[in-house]
Amino acid sequence: MAFDSQYCLHVIASTWPRGGEYEMQGDRSSRLTPLLTPAARPVASLASKRGHRLRAREQHGAALFWFKLADRISPGQANVTGHIGASLMELGHYDAARPWLRASCDGVAARGRELLCTAHCLVRLGKADLAADVFSRACDLSPDDAQVLSEAAGFFRTVNQREKARMLLEQAMVLRPDDPEIARMALAVSPRNRTHVDRLHFVTIGTTGLCNASCVHCPTGKAETAHVPRIPMAMPLFRRIIDGLRDSRLPIVEGVIFGLFGDGLVDPYVVERAKYVRANLPAIPLVINTNGAAYDRKKHAELIDLVTTINLHCESLKPDVYDQLMAPLRMERTQTKLDMIMQNFAGRAQVTIPVSRANRHDMAALQTHFLERGAVSVVFTPLSSRCARDQSAFDRLAFDPKPIRCSTDLFDNLTIDCDGTVVACCNDFSREVPIGNANEQSMDSLLQDERRLKMVEAFQQDRHTDYSTCVRCRADVTIPAYA
């Protein structure tokens, strides 16, 4: 039997159920019988291409129909099963998506690009080990495809496999020497000369010292941090910092972050500051750290066009657990704010969830909840002691904490609190180890401060215990598995 495209499309279209759901039952299934033969398998590409066009137009229900139809005609194609999983995720069916994505990992693929959708979906689902295997396979299939190499390198950099990322980016640079994004990523993983700062990864600014939460395992709001200023950063100081970054011409690889020991949205000048960053560092990503409780849709409306990412901290959706972990915040009051943020910043909100004994069984539900509402990712992080003096709450909540010894990569960042005090680490809540003052020093002077350089040397020699904060730095190094 000969197949032409018009006949194939007619047969395929005749299977479309009125409800838009993919079901092949009864007489609809019999209509497909002529297509379910090896001779007709090239027809699957027609259905797959239509699925891709519909996904590009965000018609995910319709796309799912055509992808599933392509899989019926030609089963086991990694690109098709991966996009079935992706379409199901867009429709909020995360449990249904997982088996399709797992099947895609071992599916038939001729080119690396056919696996990229699957890899990125696995990242969103927190399956880093599976994603690493898929990205590696994609690179093996297409070692001369700069897009495959650079996307894989971006993933490996986020999971701290910097050497692998560096090698992939070196290959990509040969293929696309003029690509600015590949050049930016290559700079981020290139070897460093620690005596001369030639770029920064993150610049974290404590735009306010006030936080509306005092999480049970955090030093904020406790007696040990009572001496720390809880005020907004003065605008002249803020402008001085941003002007110094602009005039230094140092590449800022990852972005500027608002929110250090205080909540980024509690700051009364957050919109004014965001505008100033956009005017002076227009190409640099801008991130706001917040628990969301202070969000005001009217007051913060302008941030929608100014901010690259809202990094949302939420430890549970169960009122009793949330109220315990994030006191004095209460879920009954915060839930509406979280929903508003997810709606207003859909596709730009990242949710970060420290995992503890209190919320370990909620991980899958938390992930599904926020992804369904438009989160770009849900990141589960090991619980940290945050260098607190009193670690009793941390010890009750942690699983098996170990001492943490940071590498000198820590000094790729610049961390400035609300009064201009520069600290090496965002976990130095008591500011015990200052290494500069932005009120008194130029940007070059801050980055070459003798205290900073001595700390770099100590870390290079594994003398972390020279510093009181490092002595108390402990964290879980793994998190529990979840569905």
Side-chain angles (χ1 to χ4, degrees):
M1 181 178 181
F3 295 92
D4 61 47
S5 59
Q6 292 300 319
Y7 172 75
C8 294
L9 290 175
H10 171 74
V11 173
I12 292 170
S14 71
T15 68
W16 188 292
R18 291 182 181 180
E21 294 295 328
Y22 176 81
E23 296 176 3
M24 289 299 166
Q25 300 173 352
D27 64 337
R28 290 195 189 102
S29 182
S30 65
R31 294 173 191 169
L32 282 178
T33 301
L35 295 178
L36 302 181
T37 64
R41 284 183 180 175
V43 177
S45 65
L46 294 173
S48 179
K49 287 177 181 177
R50 181 160 292 189
H52 283 291
R53 288 197 296 270
L54 289 164
R55 270 210 75 201
R57 297 202 294 264
E58 299 187 359
Q59 297 179 26
H60 302 294
L64 179 62
F65 174 88
W66 294 97
F67 284 129
K68 281 196 171 182
L69 186 55
D71 183 67
R72 274 295 290 277
I73 298 169
S74 182
Q77 301 298 313
N79 184 42
V80 172
T81 51
H83 278 89
I84 290 173
S87 298
L88 286 165
M89 285 177 65
E90 294 294 346
L91 293 168
H93 305 315
Y94 293 92
D95 289 340
R98 290 183 175 95
W100 288 102
L101 294 171
R102 290 192 184 99
S104 178
C105 295
D106 300 316
V108 177
R111 300 179 303 133
R113 291 195 186 196
E114 296 172 19
L115 295 166
L116 291 180
C117 175
T118 299
H120 288 300
C121 287
L122 290 168
V123 172
R124 286 191 69 195
L125 290 173
K127 303 299 181 183
D129 290 344
L130 275 177
D133 292 341
V134 176
F135 274 121
S136 295
R137 183 184 172 203
C139 293
D140 290 341
L141 286 171
S142 298
D144 57 352
D145 188 325
Q147 179 179 336
V148 170
L149 298 174
S150 62
E151 290 189 27
F155 164 76
F156 286 115
R157 184 162 65 95
T158 62
V159 295
N160 209 31
Q161 295 188 36
R162 294 171 64 89
E163 185 59 25
K164 186 164 187 174
R166 185 183 65 78
M167 292 173 61
L168 292 173
L169 288 166
E170 285 181 354
Q171 292 175 252
M173 285 285 285
V174 171
L175 297 165
R176 285 192 196 167
D178 299 323
D179 189 306
E181 179 61 15
I182 293 176
R184 182 190 70 82
M185 293 172 64
L187 179 63
V189 296
S190 62
R192 299 296 305 270
N193 178 356
R194 294 295 174 189
T195 61
H196 175 69
V197 178
D198 59 0
R199 78 268 200 178
L200 292 165
H201 280 203
F202 287 107
V203 177
T204 303
I205 303 175
T207 47
T208 180
L210 182 64
C211 188
N212 47 5
S214 180
C215 297
V216 65
H217 52 81
C218 179
T220 292
K222 313 296 192 300
E224 66 183 85
T225 57
H227 63 285
V228 175
R230 295 172 183 170
I231 57 173
M233 176 179 281
M235 282 304 298
L237 172 58
F238 177 81
R239 294 189 195 100
R240 174 186 170 89
I241 293 167
I242 301 303
D243 292 349
L245 292 168
R246 179 198 62 209
D247 296 344
S248 74
R249 299 184 180 275
L250 281 172
I252 303 174
V253 180
E254 306 292 353
V256 172
I257 301 175
F258 291 176
L260 178 56
F261 307 133
D263 186 280
L265 290 181
V266 172
D267 173 30
Y269 308 115
V270 61
V271 173
E272 184 180 351
R273 297 190 207 277
K275 289 179 179 178
Y276 198 78
V277 170
R278 278 285 157 261
N280 290 276
L281 301 170
I284 305 302
L286 177 59
V287 181
I288 295 181
N289 288 337
T290 181
N291 56 48
Y295 184 64
D296 183 305
R297 179 171 273 167
K298 182 177 180 181
K299 176 182 175 181
H300 296 130
E302 292 180 90
L303 291 176
I304 295 172
D305 297 324
L306 298 169
V307 170
T308 310
T309 303
I310 290 283
N311 188 29
L312 194 62
H313 172 206
C314 177
E315 299 198 23
S316 182
L317 293 171
K318 294 180 177 178
D320 57 333
V321 178
Y322 182 95
D323 295 355
Q324 172 204 355
L325 293 177
M326 300 191 67
L329 301 183
R330 297 181 64 81
M331 174 51 64
E332 64 182 357
R333 298 171 186 162
T334 307
Q335 181 67 70
T336 302
K337 304 294 184 75
L338 298 179
D339 290 343
M340 285 193 291
I341 289 174
M342 299 310 301
Q343 180 182 9
N344 294 156
F345 294 90
R348 284 181 290 160
Q350 172 179 286
V351 184
T352 301
I353 303 170
V355 180
S356 68
R357 293 181 184 275
N359 64 6
R360 65 173 299 178
H361 299 298
D362 305 334
M363 295 169 68
L366 281 161
Q367 182 186 66
T368 299
H369 176 89
F370 285 112
L371 289 177
E372 284 180 347
R373 285 156 179 77
V376 67
S377 62
V378 177
V379 181
F380 294 106
T381 61
L383 195 68
S384 166
S385 70
R386 304 191 180 192
C387 304
R389 291 190 180 90
D390 179 0
Q391 298 191 7
S392 55
F394 167 75
D395 287 331
R396 289 196 304 272
L397 293 167
F399 297 99
D400 184 23
K402 307 293 184 186
I404 301 300
R405 299 294 180 257
C406 294
S407 73
T408 54
D409 289 348
L410 178 68
F411 300 94
D412 290 345
N413 307 310
L414 180 62
T415 306
I416 308 174
D417 200 11
C418 59
D419 64 347
T421 298
V422 178
V423 293
C425 176
C426 62
N427 278 331
D428 187 2
F429 283 77
S430 296
R431 311 191 318 172
E432 292 177 36
V433 188
I435 58 171
N437 191 309
N439 281 296
E440 304 165 355
Q441 297 172 268
S442 67
M443 189 58 57
D444 183 64
S445 176
L446 283 175
L447 297 175
Q448 295 298 318
D449 189 287
E450 182 180 354
R451 292 165 291 182
R452 185 185 189 92
L453 299 179
K454 284 182 66 176
M455 202 168 183
V456 170
E457 181 181 11
F459 277 34
Q460 289 173 331
Q461 298 173 1
D462 293 324
R463 293 189 289 108
H464 295 73
T465 53
D466 288 0
Y467 297 93
S468 58
T469 49
C470 297
V471 170
R472 300 194 302 271
C473 188
R474 301 161 61 226
D476 287 323
V477 294
T478 59
I479 59 175
Y482 61 100

